Amino acid sequence: MRVIAAVILFVAAAHAALWGVLQQKQSAPDFTGMLPSVSYAPFEGTDHPDVDNVPNAERIRSDLKKLATITRAIRLYSSTGGVELVPPIAAEVGLKVTLGVWIDKNEDRNKREIAAAVQLARRNSNVIGIVVGNETLFRGELKPDELIAYIKMVKKAVSVPVTTGEIWNMWRDYPQLASNVDFIAAHVLPYWEFFNHTQAVDQAVDRYQVLREKFPGKRIVIAEFGWPSEGYNRGIADPGPFQQAWVLRNFVTRAEAIGMEYNIVEGIDQPWKFFEGGVGPYWGVLNASREDKFAWTGPIVNPDYWKLASIALLVGILLSLPIIRLRRPTVLQAMVLAITAHGVGAWVSNVFAYWNTHYFVWGSTFALTLGLILLVPLILIAMARIEEIAAIAFGREPRRLLTRDKAARERAAMPQGYCPKVSIHVPAYFEPVEMMKQTLDALARLDYSNYEVVCIINNTPDPAFWQPIQDHCRMLGERFKFINAEKVKGFKAGALRIAMERTAVDAEIIGIIDADYVVTPDWLKDLVPAFADPAVGLVQAPQEHRDEHLSLMHYIMNGEYAGFFDIGMVQRNEENAIIVHGTMCLIRRAAMDMAGGWSSDTICEDTDLGLAIQELGWQTHYTNTRYGQGLLPDTYEAFKKQRHRWAYGGFQIVKKHWRRFLPGRSRLTADQKREFSLGWLNWLGAESLGVVVAILNLIWVPIVAFAGIAIPDKILTIPIIAAFVVSLAHFLILYRLRVAVRPWQMLGAMIAAMSVQWTVSRAVAQGLITEHLAFARTSKGGLSRMSIEFQAFWEAVIGALLLIGATILIVTNTLAITELYIFAAVLILESLPFLSAVAIAVLEMSSINSFEFWRHATVRTAELIGLRPVWVPELAAPGMQPAALGMQPAPLSAAATKVVEKV
């Protein structure tokens, strides 16, 4: 405990030190004077001035008192809509005013603006100039001659200098404009011209010199210069609070040194300018709360830096505390978990910083809030996966796992004569006859003296399916009971209830296997001794499959199944929180009776019963030793239907059992509750969340690409990329450490695992809106053929749309906004699960799905490059492995026999 506490404190200290090392401090020239002028708009909030944002005198007076401490003058952009209140109030606090006349295509408004400006200039002695129009030519509102006519109209009516505000290059390109104004009011905004902050001042000075050379003797004022404190990168243009402070302090120093007249845009942030892209609201030297964004002297620092660091450290420490509760964690394991916790803390602090420094309209608030809500479970899932990586890669070996050696020790230590009767139930529904005979023959060879087999075929009226099985049971002897039950309700659970009624009264343990499972002779001999402990209610063995070499698709499917049984189940077993999956399962009859037996209110009756048994406080055990082999789903369609059933049934179980996770409602331990909750979140939640986020992002693409607003910030997109990287690392690392598969099979298993995201999410969605779906049997044993329908149609549609969306973002990103490229990368990553389904569906229909294709391709390749024909190792054909275990080999299908004969 002390060592782990020391690790947690060490990581926290390292995190704090990292904040100290990474603290940004930039030097810039001190400025102790007064700014000659700043732009001012007397509006607040996010409402547009043309809609419902009318300033009031008290607000203006408060603003101007604040601005009077940093500037000698202000520049306005209009003279109506409440702005006419500004000049007389500015005079009260000693501020000069450059009036603005808003000019656009609306002639009536233009005339009202001019009339108001003329009256203000005549009545207020602090008015020092009038700017007629703001970037009117740049916006294409008027032609030069039309704008000049308005300028002349104002010049005739007032005695103060008159000009217009335009980007510097418009003055260069329209020299006639300069000859009709009293001075040149040029806008130089390096951000909009793709310069970074270190180039901004040089660029502004250079443009100033260009205009001086172009118009010698003409008074030139840089009427707009500034740098945004927040927003999105425009190419290499990099907005930010440090950048803004550095640019402005360097600019005013250079400007004062060369005698440049200038106006800083702008005095106060304008949240209503959200339509000007991500940077629109953030040009002020004061924020919307009228607080200084930076100091004009001393080093440039973030005044809230250590507040954010404290949040990051506090969250990191709080998330690290559960490490203390782990059972005998190692130092490396604790360190990985603590680093993860502090990484999440750092992200949380960045969320606080973003929320504190940005302004939100309703839409962006909703988008950010929804994004953060969806990210919380995503981050929990990522943390759970990192915890599993740490436990397996750096933790201790499993303690509770039943191995063959442990089984032998338990068998040697069990009471003399302990041999409880086991009743093995084999439910079947329209199963291939020869396949079932193999299952029954394997049960007949069990190396255990006290057992019976109850074979129940339900709702299968065709005698061709049940009559041979009945005859076979008679041939195998009195251990085997055969039941042909018609009109059974309750799916598989209903059949198993009937089997319980025919079970021997002295049977203490109930074994369940699926109709396709060929068990090894030592199944009961090895696992039944665990029940010598009266607290043990259930023992689960993994599934394995003997037909993975039928095709490449079967090969990768089996690899995908193996991950669950060799990774997740082993780890859950450490907390007595395994998931019961029916086949290869042994259950104490007393535990089953206490739990109420098989229930038909979910379509995953096995998992439901297993959880109910654990809720009563029974101990469960798991072994990853393969004691039997079944058959894989015949087709990709069957694979997806099976996964849909599991997911839908899992969601039914969540709805049925969640109340028993409340305090005092069951005998589940805190660790068991945690394992089941995270397990459901990790499986049902992760897949559903992935689809929801992908679709929401897809909907957001046209808004971002064509409306030009609300690009997702990095606090939303980076965690999605990070979660994907964690998931990828989780799969690859744990497969390499725990699952005995070849690298190519591991890659295929990863594709197969991703391919069911849409299937699982559909099941969860149906679970939300329906109570019961019919039990769908998984087709095995070659009874079903591949459907003529493409099995990944919707996945193909969504995957293609995500790729198209990413392409649109990249093509329309003419401003080279970094966040858009990140968003496009997120869409590409989100498309991978959908494209994985497409890949497997295409694989199933192609010739490369056959191992025969690859064997012949190997030989042909050798011949083409001039090598003598090489021997290609033959992959084990279906049925070979059981023979090695002492079982009769399963007969090959006709197609498989031809393949083997050719090889």
Side-chain angles (χ1 to χ4, degrees), residues 497-516:
R497 285 196 296 269
I498 295 174
M500 285 297 297
E501 296 172 0
R502 296 284 298 273
T503 296
V505 293
D506 58 341
E508 299 179 36
I509 299 170
I510 307 300
I512 312 296
I513 67 169
D514 284 346
D516 59 312

Side-chain angles (χ1 to χ4, degrees), residues 7-26:
V7 169
I8 293 173
L9 291 176
F10 171 78
V11 172
H15 187 196
L18 193 61
W19 277 87
V21 170
L22 296 179
Q23 183 181 17
Q24 286 183 282
K25 285 186 179 181
Q26 294 185 1

